[in-house]
C-alpha cells in the first residue's frame, strides 16, 4: 500500500484530506466547485476538521451536561453584534403616575379630614375649581365619584359622626320654634297699628310718636329674633352694611313716596304722611320667606345626594330657586293686598313686592355664603331711591333742569311708586340672575344644612 493510500485510509470524516466517491475527480479541500453553495451566518460547529479556538467553542456550546459531556449546541449572537436597546424618541409620550388621585388627596387632605360625607368633599372640590372635566384627568367620570374615592382613602374620616349645630334632630318642635319667631315682626307691627288707631284723637302728637317709635323698635327686635335661627339664619355672615341698607329700604317704604311727592311739588314743606300698609305686609311675609328658604335648602340637599354630575345638580337646583321665589312672591302679594284692605290705601304695591323679593334673594345669598353679592344688590337699590329726590333737587339749579327730567317722566307715567319699583325690581332681577349661577353650585350647599333635616345619613 502506498503512502497516499495509507493517509486516505486513516483520515476520518470531516478531515481536510477525506475523499468522497462523488468528488474524487474535482476534490478541492472538500468543496464542490461549479455548484451553488449554501452559506449561513449562524454560529455552528465547524465541519472542516482540525482543532479550533476554545473561545469559539464556548460561544456555540451550551453548558456541560452531567458527566462531563458537552451540552447541546445553541446559537448565540456574539456580543459585538448584539442589538442595542432603542433610544427613546424626544417626542415620546410619557405615562402619567400610577396613582393620579394621590397628589390630589395630599393637596386637599384637610378638606377630606373635616368632611363628614363624600358630598362635602365634592362641594369643596367644586369650590376649588375642580369640574367634571378635571375629574376625567384623574380617571373618574365626575366630581362625585372622585370625592367618594378621596373620602374613602383619607384615614379616620369614615368614623366621624355627623353631628354639630348644622344638623339638629328632625322634629316638629324645631320647625314650630322658628316659625313662631318669624311671626314676631308682624305681630309687633299689628300691635303698633292697633294702638295708633285706638289712640287717634285721644292722645297728642308726641304720645302717638312715642307709640310709633316703640312699635318700630319692637318690630326690629322681632326681626332680629326671627333671623337668629331657622332657615334665614346666617351665622357670622351678615354685615353691618347689609343691616343699614335694609333699614333704609324699609324706611323708604314708610316715608319715601310722600317725601318724593313733596319734593316734586316744590317742597319739602314740613312733616309728611306715612304709608304703613306695605310695611305691615312685608313684616307678615317673614314667615313665608322662612318656609320658602327652608324648602329650597331641603330639596337642594336632596338633589345633591341624588346627583352624579355637577351639571345635573345645577340643572335640578335652578327650578327649585325659581319655584321658591315665585311661591314667596305669591304669598307676599296676598299679604300686601290684605294689609291694604285692612289699613287703607297708601304705598306702592309693586315696589313693596319687589322689595320683598329683593330681601329674600339677599338673605338666601348670605345664608349660602355670598354676603358680598347680597350687599351689592341692596346698595344699588338704596342708591337709586336716594338718587331720585336728589336729581329733582339738583334740577332746580340754573342750567341743570335736564337732571330732573328722567324722574319727572317716570313719575308722570306711573306715579311716585314707580321709583321703588324700578330700584328694587332692577336689583332683585340682578340678584336673581346671580343667584341662578352661584346657588346652583354644590359648594353653595356645603355648610348650609337645612333646619330639621337631620343628620347626613337620615
Amino acid at each position: 500500500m502506498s503512502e497516499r493510500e495509507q493517509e486516505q485510509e486513516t483520515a476520518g470524516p470531516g478531515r481536510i484530506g477525506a475523499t468522497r466517491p462523488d468528488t474524487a475527480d474535482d476534490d478541492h479541500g472538500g468543496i464542490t466547485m461549479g455548484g451553488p453553495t449554501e452559506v449561513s451566518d449562524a454560529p455552528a460547529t465547524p465541519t472542516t476538521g482540525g482543532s479550533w479556538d476554545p473561545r469559539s467553542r464556548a460561544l456555540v456550546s451550551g453548558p456541560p451536561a452531567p458527566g462531563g459531556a458537552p451540552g447541546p449546541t445553541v446559537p448565540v449572537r456574539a456580543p459585538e453584534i448584539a442589538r442595542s436597546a432603542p433610544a427613546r424618541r424626544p417626542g415620546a409620550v410619557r405615562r402619567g403616575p400610577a396613582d393620579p388621585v394621590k397628589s390630589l388627596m395630599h393637596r386637599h387632605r384637610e378638606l377630606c379630614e373635616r368632611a363628614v360625607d363624600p358630598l362635602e368633599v365634592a362641594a369643596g372640590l367644586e369650590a376649588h375649581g375642580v369640574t367634571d372635566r378635571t375629574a376625567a384627568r384623574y380617571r373618574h367620570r365626575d366630581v362625585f365619584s372622585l370625592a367618594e374615592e378621596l373620602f374613602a382613602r383619607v384615614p379616620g374620616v369614615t368614623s366621624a359622626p355627623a353631628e354639630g349645630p348644622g344638623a339638629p334632630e328632625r322634629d316638629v318642635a324645631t320647625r314650630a320654634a322658628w316659625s313662631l319667631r318669624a311671626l314676631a315682626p308682624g305681630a309687633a307691627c299689628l300691635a303698633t297699628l292697633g294702638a295708633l288707631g285706638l289712640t287717634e284723637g285721644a292722645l297728642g302728637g308726641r304720645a302717638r310718636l312715642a307709640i310709633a317709635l316703640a312699635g318700630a323698635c319692637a318690630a326690629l327686635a322681632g326681626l332680629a329674633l326671627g333671623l337668629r335661627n331657622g332657615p334665614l339664619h346666617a351665622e357670622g355672615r351678615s354685615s353691618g352694611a347689609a343691616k343699614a341698607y335694609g333699614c333704609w329700604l324699609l324706611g323708604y317704604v314708610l316715608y319715601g313716596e310722600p317725601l318724593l311727592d313733596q319734593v316734586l311739588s316744590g317742597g319739602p314743606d314740613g312733616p309728611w304722611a306715612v304709608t304703613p300698609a306695605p310695611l305691615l305686609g312685608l313684616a307678615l311675609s317673614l314667615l313665608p320667606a322662612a318656609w320658602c328658604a327652608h324648602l329650597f335648602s331641603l330639596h337642594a340637599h336632596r338633589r345633591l345626594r341624588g346627583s352624579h354630575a355637577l351639571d345635573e345638580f345645577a340643572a335640578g337646583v335652578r327650578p327649585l330657586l325659581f319655584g321658591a321665589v315665585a311661591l314667596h312672591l305669591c304669598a307676599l302679594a296676598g299679604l300686601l293686598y290684605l294689609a291694604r284692605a285692612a289699613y287703607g290705601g297708601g304705598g306702592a304695591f309693586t315696589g313693596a313686592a319687589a322689595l320683598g323679593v329683593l330681601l329674600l334673594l339677599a338673605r338666601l345669598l348670605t345664608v349660602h355664603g355670598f354676603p358680598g353679592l347680597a350687599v351689592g344688590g341692596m346698595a344699588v337699590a338704596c342708591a337709586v331711591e336716594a338718587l331720585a329726590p336728589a336729581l329733582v333737587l339738583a334740577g332746580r339749579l340754573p342750567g341743570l333742569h335736564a337732571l330732573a327730567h328722567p324722574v319727572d317722566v317716570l313719575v308722570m307715567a306711573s306715579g311716585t311708586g314707580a321709583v321703588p319699583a324700578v330700584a328694587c325690581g332692577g336689583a332683585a332681577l340682578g340678584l336673581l340672575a346671580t343667584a341662578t349661577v352661584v346657588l346652583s353650585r354644590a359648594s353653595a350647599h356645603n355648610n348650609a344644612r337645612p333646619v330639621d333635616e337631620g343628620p347626613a345619613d337620615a
Side-chain angles (χ1 to χ4, degrees):
M1 183 180 295
S2 62
E3 182 177 357
R4 179 177 179 82
E5 292 176 352
Q6 292 178 357
E7 291 177 357
Q8 291 177 356
E9 184 178 355
T10 57
R15 298 277 185 167
I16 299 177
T19 59
R20 294 187 302 177
D22 56 348
T23 59
D25 299 333
D26 53 352
D27 181 43
H28 295 279
I31 302 177
T32 305
M33 302 297 292
T37 304
E38 295 182 1
V39 181
S40 175
D41 60 351
T45 305
T47 58
T48 56
S51 60
W52 46 297
D53 190 22
R55 291 180 298 177
S56 299
R57 182 185 296 275
L59 291 176
V60 299
S61 300
T73 302
V74 180
V76 180
R77 186 178 297 275
E80 60 270 14
I81 62 174
R83 291 183 180 179
S84 59
R88 177 176 292 180
R89 293 176 299 173
V93 179
R94 296 183 60 186
R95 293 181 179 270
D99 188 5
V101 183
K102 189 175 182 180
S103 60
L104 191 68
M105 180 179 64
H106 288 294
R107 191 182 311 163
H108 301 285
R109 175 172 291 274
E110 185 179 357
L111 168 66
C112 299
E113 289 175 348
R114 293 197 316 265
V116 297
D117 54 22
L119 295 178
E120 292 192 13
V121 180
L125 292 177
E126 195 265 349
H128 285 85
V130 179
T131 61
D132 291 338
R133 182 175 299 179
T134 308
R137 297 203 299 263
Y138 293 96
R139 304 172 188 173
H140 283 270
R141 67 181 184 275
D142 50 49
V143 175
F144 291 90
S145 62
L146 177 61
E148 289 177 356
E149 180 177 351
L150 289 174
F151 180 77
R153 292 180 61 176
V154 174
V157 296
T158 54
S159 60
E163 305 179 335
E169 293 293 334
R170 179 184 302 182
D171 55 69
V172 178
T174 303
R175 283 175 285 187
W178 56 259
S179 297
L180 289 176
R181 293 188 180 96
L183 285 174
C189 288
L190 282 175
T192 304
L193 293 178
L196 291 176
L198 292 175
T199 58
E200 185 176 1
L203 296 177
R206 292 184 178 181
R208 290 172 58 83
L209 179 60
I211 293 175
L213 291 178
C217 292
L220 290 177
L223 179 62
L225 182 64
L227 299 179
R228 191 167 184 176
N229 59 6
L232 295 179
H233 173 58
E235 183 177 1
R237 294 176 178 173
S238 183
S239 62
K243 297 176 182 177
Y245 293 143
C247 291
W248 170 276
L249 293 172
L250 294 176
Y252 194 90
V253 171
L254 278 176
Y255 301 106
E257 292 184 47
L259 172 63
L260 182 60
D261 186 59
Q262 287 198 13
V263 170
L264 289 172
S265 60
D269 299 327
W272 51 87
V274 296
T275 53
L279 184 62
L280 176 61
L282 289 171
L284 294 173
S285 69
L286 183 62
L287 178 60
W291 271 100
C292 291
H294 171 67
L295 293 176
F296 169 71
S297 182
L298 181 66
H299 288 283
H301 274 84
R302 291 178 179 175
R303 179 72 63 175
L304 182 61
R305 296 178 191 279
S307 299
H308 298 285
L310 294 177
D311 294 338
E312 178 186 352
F313 172 72
V317 168
R318 293 189 189 104
L320 294 177
L321 177 63
F322 296 148
V325 173
L327 181 61
H328 176 255
L329 182 59
C330 293
L332 177 60
L335 291 173
L336 289 173
Y337 177 79
L338 292 177
R340 173 179 289 187
Y343 194 79
F349 181 89
T350 306
L355 175 58
V357 175
L358 172 63
L359 294 177
L360 174 66
L361 290 171
R363 198 63 187 177
L364 283 177
L365 289 171
T366 303
V367 169
H368 290 275
F370 303 95
L373 297 176
V375 171
M378 297 172 69
V380 170
C382 292
V384 174
E385 289 182 347
L387 189 62
L391 289 177
V392 175
L393 293 174
R396 298 176 183 177
L397 298 176
L400 299 179
H401 303 287
L403 294 178
H405 184 68
V407 181
D408 294 336
V409 172
L410 184 63
V411 171
M412 289 178 62
S414 303
T416 55
V419 173
V422 171
C424 297
L429 287 176
L431 286 188
L432 180 60
T434 305
T436 303
V437 177
V438 298
L439 295 185
S440 61
R441 301 174 183 172
S443 56
H445 307 272
N446 185 19
N447 297 324
R449 189 179 303 280
V451 178
D452 71 271
E453 184 190 6
D457 56 351

